[in-house]
Amino acid sequence: MNKEKHLVVISGPSGSGKDTVVKRLMELHPEVELSISATTREIRPGEKDGVNYVFLSREEFERRIKADEILEYAEYCGNYYGTPKSEVDKRIENGITVILVIEVVGAGNVKRIYPDATTIFVRPPSYSELEDRLRGRGTESEEEIQKRLARAVEEMEYAVDYDEVVINDKIDDCAKEIYELIQKHQQD
Ligand code: 5GP
């Protein structure tokens, strides 16, 4: 199989519940692996360096971009987020399905580099549900929430560029649907 088909890109606005769905998908299918991104944003309570993200200074992130160690990156609400090449290349060559959970600009860049990657956009059932989820997790300041809500509206317009769009109404159903779509694309 074309190695690019092992790459799966999942996006969705902040509050769409995409991280929870992907977590569930990986509990159901442990053979699927998640790429750990690098970021310059501040670590949140409960997060671990090297587990949720690799947390870097802006200087170090920019050094890695120059050293060509980053496959794709984007700025999101004032911080850098990027996929280290080391998270992807070897694994897809070895036939492992790797999931990138990344925002829309980075997703577009991945699709240009790997046109056969599968891209899936996760929509929340409604805007008010998205706002409730974003507030409910209580990890961001009001200013940060406002920025993310504004960005969510813009991001929703990118859904048309994705191979597939799913609605995250129920976590288990959505995780199952995403897995089936990955299988379908790998067989095409
Ligand atoms: P958060 O701060 O909520 O963890 O992430 C903010 C946004 O950055 C989310 O949409 C998340 O999917 C995205 N993101 C996380 N890692 C990467 C990455 O490596 N590259 C890009 N382009 N976006 C990322």
Side-chain angles (χ1 to χ4, degrees), residues 10-15 18-19 35-39 41-42 44 47 52-53 55 61 70 72-77 79-84 100-107 109-110 134 137 140 144 148 155:
I10 298 185
S11 304
S14 194
K18 62 187 184 300
D19 293 306
S35 160
I36 299 175
S37 297
T39 184
R41 86 146 157 73
E42 271 182 32
R44 290 180 193 144
E47 286 184 328
N52 303 88
Y53 284 103
F55 293 91
F61 198 102
I70 306 286
E72 65 69 37
Y73 70 95
E75 282 215 59
Y76 175 92
C77 294
N79 284 299
Y80 282 131
Y81 292 81
T83 306
L100 311 185
V101 184
I102 62 177
E103 55 66 63
V104 294
V105 175
N109 290 334
V110 173
L134 198 47
R137 67 188 191 199
E140 283 95 7
E144 182 67 25
R148 284 175 179 245
E155 285 192 306

Side-chain angles (χ1 to χ4, degrees), residues 62-77:
E62 286 169 357
R63 189 198 66 73
R64 293 190 191 194
I65 295 170
K66 284 206 189 91
D68 201 25
E69 294 173 17
I70 306 286
L71 174 67
E72 65 69 37
Y73 70 95
E75 282 215 59
Y76 175 92
C77 294

Side-chain angles (χ1 to χ4, degrees), residues 14-15 129-140 144-146 148-149 152:
S14 194
E129 178 74 31
L130 177 143
E131 187 165 355
D132 287 352
R133 285 184 191 160
L134 198 47
R135 289 187 188 285
R137 67 188 191 199
T139 48
E140 283 95 7
E144 182 67 25
I145 289 171
Q146 291 304 332
R148 284 175 179 245
L149 286 173

